[in-house]
Amino acid sequence: MSETLCVRITLNHPQGLHLRVGKDLVTVANRFAAQISLRNVTRESPLVDAKSILQLMQLQARQGHVLKISAAGPDAQAALDAMCALLEAEAA
Amino acid sequence: MITLLIVSHSYEVAQGVRRLAAQMAPPELAIVALGGVPEDGVLEDGVPEDSMAPADYGLGSDATAILAAIEEHWTPAGVLILVDLGSAVMNAETALDLLPPETAAACCISNAPLVEGAIVAAVEAGLGHDLCQVNAAAEAVAHVAKVQRPPV
């Protein structure tokens, strides 16, 4: 069993985790074999599957909310890097 | 990749849902919008269908138009039909009854709410998931609370 890697990231986009970013996250997440989960730490949401748009929409993440992204699997590090890169690019 | 067919009583609703869904999907995903019925006299005036304006459509749905859309856009991967209400459902069922059984077998009328269902279906279909997977994800939307309220 591979270890679970985690990273925390604060959403800087004025619209938070809006639909299009959600779609991009799901698309990126589906390129990896790793199990990728997200949690809205600010809302104390349950863990959701990053590969499902339906579950991502339930995070209801707004600007300033902290997301915790976890990944487990052979390409977990690459998956986390890709997810973070996407969210950071979105904030710029 | 499957095809999405959006069926509404309203031309504007169908077009709007298609735009929302298209934003969530890769360009290769076919999303077809079918909304409203031509107002009386429009077709008799000889206006070609592809140059009809939104004002040329009244509210309603039409089994023949649904049938034609499925025949035009059918793919072996399947067609997921997302409907709004009542007679749109019945007309979609009628259209499937008029298709050859093997064609109809690869079509599915979804129980999903139209707007949210189309958005989820667009993402799932764009990922290359099969008809049953896409429909299951879209239908699951109905069980998600839009507004999170503290328990009473």
Side-chain angles (χ1 to χ4, degrees):
Chain A
M1 188 70 194
S2 55
E3 62 175 324
T4 301
L5 306 176
C6 300
V7 63
R8 279 168 184 254
I9 189 163
T10 303
L11 279 180
N12 285 320
H13 193 281
Q15 289 176 14
L17 192 66
H18 58 93
L19 262 185
R20 192 179 42 74
V21 187
K23 176 260 295 181
D24 291 340
L25 282 175
V26 171
T27 307
V28 167
N30 274 278
R31 290 187 195 132
F32 295 94
Q35 275 203 328
I36 312 169
S37 313
L38 270 122
R39 182 169 182 262
N40 185 341
V41 177
T42 307
R43 279 193 193 272
E44 300 183 349
S45 80
L47 220 59
V48 304
D49 182 357
K51 297 184 184 185
S52 157
I53 185 68
L54 179 59
Q55 295 200 26
L56 277 195
M57 284 169 8
Q58 292 174 58
L59 289 176
Q60 302 199 340
R62 296 178 187 278
Q63 184 176 29
H65 282 185
V66 177
L67 294 184
K68 181 179 170 187
I69 314 173
S70 327
D75 50 4
Q77 187 60 55
L80 277 192
D81 291 347
M83 301 286 280
C84 287
L86 206 163
L87 284 169
E88 278 158 9
E90 194 61 37
Chain B
M1 204 173 274
I2 70 165
T3 292
L4 301 185
L5 175 60
I6 291 152
V7 180
S8 168
H9 280 68
S10 151
Y11 176 88
E12 287 88 350
V13 168
Q15 297 297 328
V17 171
R18 191 190 57 76
R19 275 185 69 191
L20 274 170
Q23 183 193 252
M24 306 296 283
E28 59 268 30
L29 179 71
I31 308 176
V32 183
L34 208 55
V37 289
E39 290 278 20
D40 287 347
V42 170
L43 294 181
E44 287 78 356
D45 290 346
V47 179
E49 191 120 13
D50 54 9
S51 64
M52 280 170 60
D56 292 330
Y57 289 90
L59 299 176
S61 77
D62 172 18
T64 320
I66 299 172
L67 177 66
I70 296 172
E71 285 174 332
E72 185 180 351
H73 300 281
W74 189 85
T75 124
V79 179
L80 185 63
I81 307 166
L82 294 139
V83 290
D84 59 0
L85 301 158
S87 60
V89 183
M90 284 183 294
N91 283 323
E93 286 170 347
T94 304
L96 292 193
D97 286 343
L98 296 170
L99 284 168
E102 58 274 20
T103 307
C107 298
C108 171
I109 305 172
S110 182
N111 242 330
L114 184 60
V115 177
E116 295 91 329
I119 285 171
V120 168
V123 175
E124 295 282 324
L127 292 168
H129 294 163
D130 70 30
L131 184 64
C132 287
Q133 289 173 314
V134 174
N135 183 47
E139 290 190 351
V141 175
H143 307 293
V144 175
K146 262 181 217 195
V147 181
Q148 291 171 0
R149 297 199 178 97
V152 281

mmCIF file with all atom_site columns, all heavy atoms in Angstrom, chain A residues 21-32:
data_model
loop_
_atom_site.group_PDB
_atom_site.id
_atom_site.type_symbol
_atom_site.label_atom_id
_atom_site.label_alt_id
_atom_site.label_comp_id
_atom_site.label_asym_id
_atom_site.label_entity_id
_atom_site.label_seq_id
_atom_site.pdbx_PDB_ins_code
_atom_site.Cartn_x
_atom_site.Cartn_y
_atom_site.Cartn_z
_atom_site.occupancy
_atom_site.B_iso_or_equiv
_atom_site.pdbx_formal_charge
_atom_site.auth_seq_id
_atom_site.auth_comp_id
_atom_site.auth_asym_id
_atom_site.auth_atom_id
_atom_site.pdbx_PDB_model_num
ATOM 1  N N   . VAL A 1 21 ? -13.367 25.379 -13.713 1.00 0.00 ? 21 VAL A N   1
ATOM 2  C CA  . VAL A 1 21 ? -12.181 24.849 -13.027 1.00 0.00 ? 21 VAL A CA  1
ATOM 3  C C   . VAL A 1 21 ? -12.465 23.431 -12.550 1.00 0.00 ? 21 VAL A C   1
ATOM 4  O O   . VAL A 1 21 ? -11.600 22.552 -12.626 1.00 0.00 ? 21 VAL A O   1
ATOM 5  C CB  . VAL A 1 21 ? -11.826 25.692 -11.786 1.00 0.00 ? 21 VAL A CB  1
ATOM 6  C CG1 . VAL A 1 21 ? -10.507 25.215 -11.211 1.00 0.00 ? 21 VAL A CG1 1
ATOM 7  C CG2 . VAL A 1 21 ? -11.747 27.141 -12.131 1.00 0.00 ? 21 VAL A CG2 1
ATOM 8  N N   . GLY A 1 22 ? -13.681 23.212 -12.053 1.00 0.00 ? 22 GLY A N   1
ATOM 9  C CA  . GLY A 1 22 ? -14.066 21.872 -11.608 1.00 0.00 ? 22 GLY A CA  1
ATOM 10 C C   . GLY A 1 22 ? -13.907 20.876 -12.729 1.00 0.00 ? 22 GLY A C   1
ATOM 11 O O   . GLY A 1 22 ? -13.341 19.794 -12.554 1.00 0.00 ? 22 GLY A O   1
ATOM 12 N N   . LYS A 1 23 ? -14.376 21.271 -13.912 1.00 0.00 ? 23 LYS A N   1
ATOM 13 C CA  . LYS A 1 23 ? -14.262 20.386 -15.082 1.00 0.00 ? 23 LYS A CA  1
ATOM 14 C C   . LYS A 1 23 ? -12.799 20.112 -15.390 1.00 0.00 ? 23 LYS A C   1
ATOM 15 O O   . LYS A 1 23 ? -12.394 18.978 -15.662 1.00 0.00 ? 23 LYS A O   1
ATOM 16 C CB  . LYS A 1 23 ? -14.967 21.051 -16.278 1.00 0.00 ? 23 LYS A CB  1
ATOM 17 C CG  . LYS A 1 23 ? -14.865 20.316 -17.579 1.00 0.00 ? 23 LYS A CG  1
ATOM 18 C CD  . LYS A 1 23 ? -13.807 20.867 -18.505 1.00 0.00 ? 23 LYS A CD  1
ATOM 19 C CE  . LYS A 1 23 ? -14.112 22.287 -18.969 1.00 0.00 ? 23 LYS A CE  1
ATOM 20 N NZ  . LYS A 1 23 ? -13.104 22.810 -19.894 1.00 0.00 ? 23 LYS A NZ  1
ATOM 21 N N   . ASP A 1 24 ? -11.956 21.169 -15.338 1.00 0.00 ? 24 ASP A N   1
ATOM 22 C CA  . ASP A 1 24 ? -10.521 20.990 -15.636 1.00 0.00 ? 24 ASP A CA  1
ATOM 23 C C   . ASP A 1 24 ? -9.866  20.066 -14.598 1.00 0.00 ? 24 ASP A C   1
ATOM 24 O O   . ASP A 1 24 ? -9.045  19.222 -14.947 1.00 0.00 ? 24 ASP A O   1
ATOM 25 C CB  . ASP A 1 24 ? -9.810  22.344 -15.675 1.00 0.00 ? 24 ASP A CB  1
ATOM 26 C CG  . ASP A 1 24 ? -10.234 23.175 -16.879 1.00 0.00 ? 24 ASP A CG  1
ATOM 27 O OD1 . ASP A 1 24 ? -10.757 22.586 -17.844 1.00 0.00 ? 24 ASP A OD1 1
ATOM 28 O OD2 . ASP A 1 24 ? -10.057 24.404 -16.847 1.00 0.00 ? 24 ASP A OD2 1
ATOM 29 N N   . LEU A 1 25 ? -10.245 20.232 -13.331 1.00 0.00 ? 25 LEU A N   1
ATOM 30 C CA  . LEU A 1 25 ? -9.676  19.367 -12.277 1.00 0.00 ? 25 LEU A CA  1
ATOM 31 C C   . LEU A 1 25 ? -10.042 17.902 -12.530 1.00 0.00 ? 25 LEU A C   1
ATOM 32 O O   . LEU A 1 25 ? -9.199  17.012 -12.419 1.00 0.00 ? 25 LEU A O   1
ATOM 33 C CB  . LEU A 1 25 ? -10.193 19.791 -10.899 1.00 0.00 ? 25 LEU A CB  1
ATOM 34 C CG  . LEU A 1 25 ? -9.547  21.022 -10.259 1.00 0.00 ? 25 LEU A CG  1
ATOM 35 C CD1 . LEU A 1 25 ? -10.258 21.368 -8.957  1.00 0.00 ? 25 LEU A CD1 1
ATOM 36 C CD2 . LEU A 1 25 ? -8.058  20.824 -10.004 1.00 0.00 ? 25 LEU A CD2 1
ATOM 37 N N   . VAL A 1 26 ? -11.312 17.664 -12.859 1.00 0.00 ? 26 VAL A N   1
ATOM 38 C CA  . VAL A 1 26 ? -11.767 16.285 -13.109 1.00 0.00 ? 26 VAL A CA  1
ATOM 39 C C   . VAL A 1 26 ? -11.021 15.696 -14.308 1.00 0.00 ? 26 VAL A C   1
ATOM 40 O O   . VAL A 1 26 ? -10.573 14.553 -14.275 1.00 0.00 ? 26 VAL A O   1
ATOM 41 C CB  . VAL A 1 26 ? -13.289 16.264 -13.365 1.00 0.00 ? 26 VAL A CB  1
ATOM 42 C CG1 . VAL A 1 26 ? -13.740 14.886 -13.840 1.00 0.00 ? 26 VAL A CG1 1
ATOM 43 C CG2 . VAL A 1 26 ? -14.039 16.644 -12.104 1.00 0.00 ? 26 VAL A CG2 1
ATOM 44 N N   . THR A 1 27 ? -10.864 16.508 -15.349 1.00 0.00 ? 27 THR A N   1
ATOM 45 C CA  . THR A 1 27 ? -10.174 16.027 -16.547 1.00 0.00 ? 27 THR A CA  1
ATOM 46 C C   . THR A 1 27 ? -8.729  15.660 -16.220 1.00 0.00 ? 27 THR A C   1
ATOM 47 O O   . THR A 1 27 ? -8.239  14.602 -16.614 1.00 0.00 ? 27 THR A O   1
ATOM 48 C CB  . THR A 1 27 ? -10.204 17.122 -17.645 1.00 0.00 ? 27 THR A CB  1
ATOM 49 O OG1 . THR A 1 27 ? -11.559 17.525 -17.820 1.00 0.00 ? 27 THR A OG1 1
ATOM 50 C CG2 . THR A 1 27 ? -9.671  16.597 -18.959 1.00 0.00 ? 27 THR A CG2 1
ATOM 51 N N   . VAL A 1 28 ? -8.044  16.524 -15.470 1.00 0.00 ? 28 VAL A N   1
ATOM 52 C CA  . VAL A 1 28 ? -6.653  16.252 -15.094 1.00 0.00 ? 28 VAL A CA  1
ATOM 53 C C   . VAL A 1 28 ? -6.589  15.024 -14.175 1.00 0.00 ? 28 VAL A C   1
ATOM 54 O O   . VAL A 1 28 ? -5.776  14.120 -14.382 1.00 0.00 ? 28 VAL A O   1
ATOM 55 C CB  . VAL A 1 28 ? -6.030  17.492 -14.410 1.00 0.00 ? 28 VAL A CB  1
ATOM 56 C CG1 . VAL A 1 28 ? -4.710  17.129 -13.746 1.00 0.00 ? 28 VAL A CG1 1
ATOM 57 C CG2 . VAL A 1 28 ? -5.824  18.598 -15.424 1.00 0.00 ? 28 VAL A CG2 1
ATOM 58 N N   . ALA A 1 29 ? -7.477  14.970 -13.188 1.00 0.00 ? 29 ALA A N   1
ATOM 59 C CA  . ALA A 1 29 ? -7.454  13.864 -12.217 1.00 0.00 ? 29 ALA A CA  1
ATOM 60 C C   . ALA A 1 29 ? -7.616  12.510 -12.915 1.00 0.00 ? 29 ALA A C   1
ATOM 61 O O   . ALA A 1 29 ? -6.993  11.525 -12.532 1.00 0.00 ? 29 ALA A O   1
ATOM 62 C CB  . ALA A 1 29 ? -8.548  14.061 -11.168 1.00 0.00 ? 29 ALA A CB  1
ATOM 63 N N   . ASN A 1 30 ? -8.446  12.500 -13.955 1.00 0.00 ? 30 ASN A N   1
ATOM 64 C CA  . ASN A 1 30 ? -8.697  11.237 -14.659 1.00 0.00 ? 30 ASN A CA  1
ATOM 65 C C   . ASN A 1 30 ? -7.502  10.749 -15.481 1.00 0.00 ? 30 ASN A C   1
ATOM 66 O O   . ASN A 1 30 ? -7.531  9.634  -16.000 1.00 0.00 ? 30 ASN A O   1
ATOM 67 C CB  . ASN A 1 30 ? -9.947  11.349 -15.534 1.00 0.00 ? 30 ASN A CB  1
ATOM 68 C CG  . ASN A 1 30 ? -11.214 11.039 -14.753 1.00 0.00 ? 30 ASN A CG  1
ATOM 69 O OD1 . ASN A 1 30 ? -11.565 9.888  -14.557 1.00 0.00 ? 30 ASN A OD1 1
ATOM 70 N ND2 . ASN A 1 30 ? -11.869 12.077 -14.247 1.00 0.00 ? 30 ASN A ND2 1
ATOM 71 N N   . ARG A 1 31 ? -6.467  11.597 -15.619 1.00 0.00 ? 31 ARG A N   1
ATOM 72 C CA  . ARG A 1 31 ? -5.275  11.148 -16.356 1.00 0.00 ? 31 ARG A CA  1
ATOM 73 C C   . ARG A 1 31 ? -4.361  10.314 -15.475 1.00 0.00 ? 31 ARG A C   1
ATOM 74 O O   . ARG A 1 31 ? -3.400  9.736  -15.948 1.00 0.00 ? 31 ARG A O   1
ATOM 75 C CB  . ARG A 1 31 ? -4.489  12.365 -16.865 1.00 0.00 ? 31 ARG A CB  1
ATOM 76 C CG  . ARG A 1 31 ? -5.213  13.096 -17.960 1.00 0.00 ? 31 ARG A CG  1
ATOM 77 C CD  . ARG A 1 31 ? -4.345  14.189 -18.570 1.00 0.00 ? 31 ARG A CD  1
ATOM 78 N NE  . ARG A 1 31 ? -5.181  15.077 -19.362 1.00 0.00 ? 31 ARG A NE  1
ATOM 79 C CZ  . ARG A 1 31 ? -5.161  16.405 -19.298 1.00 0.00 ? 31 ARG A CZ  1
ATOM 80 N NH1 . ARG A 1 31 ? -4.312  17.012 -18.486 1.00 0.00 ? 31 ARG A NH1 1
ATOM 81 N NH2 . ARG A 1 31 ? -5.970  17.112 -20.042 1.00 0.00 ? 31 ARG A NH2 1
ATOM 82 N N   . PHE A 1 32 ? -4.638  10.282 -14.175 1.00 0.00 ? 32 PHE A N   1
ATOM 83 C CA  . PHE A 1 32 ? -3.737  9.595  -13.243 1.00 0.00 ? 32 PHE A CA  1
ATOM 84 C C   . PHE A 1 32 ? -4.374  8.321  -12.699 1.00 0.00 ? 32 PHE A C   1
ATOM 85 O O   . PHE A 1 32 ? -5.594  8.241  -12.544 1.00 0.00 ? 32 PHE A O   1
ATOM 86 C CB  . PHE A 1 32 ? -3.360  10.533 -12.092 1.00 0.00 ? 32 PHE A CB  1
ATOM 87 C CG  . PHE A 1 32 ? -2.548  11.709 -12.553 1.00 0.00 ? 32 PHE A CG  1
ATOM 88 C CD1 . PHE A 1 32 ? -3.173  12.911 -12.867 1.00 0.00 ? 32 PHE A CD1 1
ATOM 89 C CD2 . PHE A 1 32 ? -1.174  11.614 -12.705 1.00 0.00 ? 32 PHE A CD2 1
ATOM 90 C CE1 . PHE A 1 32 ? -2.435  14.003 -13.323 1.00 0.00 ? 32 PHE A CE1 1
ATOM 91 C CE2 . PHE A 1 32 ? -0.422  12.695 -13.154 1.00 0.00 ? 32 PHE A CE2 1
ATOM 92 C CZ  . PHE A 1 32 ? -1.056  13.891 -13.471 1.00 0.00 ? 32 PHE A CZ  1
#
